[in-house]
């Protein structure tokens, strides 16, 4: 995708990621596939309003060229989220203790634009479990597909069935940033998004 991105896109993204909210995030209702004893997962989030403000070119791609590409992956009409709070956000991992929660998605089509490179052995891989019933990271790791992020690579998937998570980084000085884009289809429209998720993330419905 790098030909479609501004020349200094990675610099912009890393700068935006520095302003992420870093904290322990409680496990997500309904969608979490973490072991029961895991109450919190530490990570960073650049919220949708920050992305719109700091990375307007990414917002345009979400609703423009990336939407067009998303549409090619589905026999159905694909739409971006109309609620700006969860359409496009950045997930950020800094250092070796953060990771992304093992979960399934509620939206039928997710786009990820990897914004940082993670060579073999450095961690940060996205792992999809093959077992629909996998209910923790160990189960996903026992039988899964590993995707190593490459900056500028865009992938689309339906993450409603297969549990997935992002491994921690190996180095305390490393940074992982991914842009996460929620898309919807006619058979699974935005109105199906569980209200519990918005209450959990934003404190309201
Ligand atoms: Fe997901």
């Amino acid at each position: 995708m790098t030909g479609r991105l501004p020349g200094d896109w990675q610099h912009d993204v890393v700068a935006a990621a520095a302003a992420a909210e870093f904290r322990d995030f409680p496990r997500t209702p309904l969608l979490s596939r973490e072991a029961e004893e895991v109450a919190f997962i530490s990570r960073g989030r650049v919220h949708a309003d920050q992305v719109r403000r700091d990375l307007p070119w990414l917002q345009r791609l979400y609703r423009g060229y990336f939407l067009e590409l998303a549409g090619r992956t589905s026999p159905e009409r694909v739409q971006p989220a109309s609620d700006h709070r969860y359409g496009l956000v950045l997930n950020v991992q800094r250092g070796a203790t953060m990771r992304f929660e093992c979960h399934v998605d509620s939206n039928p089509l997710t786009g990820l634009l990897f914004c940082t490179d993670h060579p073999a052995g450095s961690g940060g891989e996205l792992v999809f479990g093959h077992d629909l019933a996998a209910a923790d990271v160990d189960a996903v790791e026992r039988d899964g597909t590993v995707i190593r992020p490459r900056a500028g690579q865009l992938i689309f998937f339906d993450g409603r069935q297969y549990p997935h998570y992002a491994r921690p980084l190996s180095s305390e000085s490393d940074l992982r940033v991914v842009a996460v884009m929620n898309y919807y289809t006619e058979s699974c429209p935005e109105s199906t998004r569980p209200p519990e998720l918005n209450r959990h993330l934003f404190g309201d419905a």
Side-chain angles (χ1 to χ4, degrees):
M1 269 317 132
T2 43
R4 288 280 183 159
L5 304 173
D8 50 357
W9 74 277
Q10 231 178 332
H11 177 267
D12 277 9
V13 166
V14 168
E21 181 189 10
F22 292 100
R23 63 175 169 91
D24 289 338
F25 284 77
R27 56 189 293 141
T28 308
L30 309 173
L31 305 177
S32 186
R33 295 295 182 268
E34 289 284 341
E36 222 152 277
E37 65 271 18
V38 178
F40 298 94
I41 300 95
S42 179
R43 64 169 167 88
R45 164 63 52 90
V46 178
H47 297 284
D49 55 341
Q50 295 168 264
V51 175
R52 281 206 311 286
R53 191 189 58 221
D54 297 340
L55 304 170
W57 52 268
L58 188 54
Q59 178 70 22
R60 280 195 296 274
L61 286 165
Y62 168 56
R63 304 184 73 89
Y65 183 55
F66 291 173
L67 170 64
E68 185 193 321
L69 295 179
R72 291 189 210 163
T73 72
S74 170
E76 292 187 66
R77 209 168 102 94
V78 171
Q79 290 196 303
S82 60
D83 188 323
H84 284 302
R85 295 173 302 177
Y86 50 75
L88 164 62
V89 297
L90 303 185
N91 285 342
V92 184
Q93 292 168 228
R94 200 169 57 183
T97 54
M98 297 183 185
R99 62 181 179 84
F100 198 83
E101 182 178 10
C102 192
H103 70 284
V104 293
D105 296 345
S106 64
N107 55 300
L109 185 59
T110 295
L112 295 185
L113 176 69
F114 293 117
C115 302
T116 43
D117 283 303
H118 300 283
S122 66
E125 299 91 341
L126 173 65
V127 188
F128 276 89
H130 296 165
D131 179 2
L132 300 177
D136 57 32
V137 165
D138 290 347
V140 167
E141 287 287 354
R142 265 196 304 279
D143 181 19
T145 293
V146 175
I147 297 169
R148 194 150 50 78
R150 291 192 349 249
Q153 185 181 45
L154 176 69
I155 63 169
F156 293 102
F157 55 87
D158 176 350
R160 288 176 294 176
Q161 303 280 328
Y162 293 95
H164 50 284
Y165 89 110
R167 285 178 181 163
L169 300 164
S170 320
S171 165
E172 278 303 336
S173 60
D174 204 1
L175 177 75
R176 179 190 195 269
V177 187
V178 60
V180 183
M181 293 167 274
N182 280 11
Y183 289 104
Y184 291 90
T185 57
E186 273 152 359
S187 65
C188 186
E190 191 172 353
S191 56
T192 62
R193 181 175 163 95
E196 291 94 324
L197 288 186
N198 292 341
R199 277 199 291 276
H200 171 75
L201 290 169
F202 313 116
D204 65 39

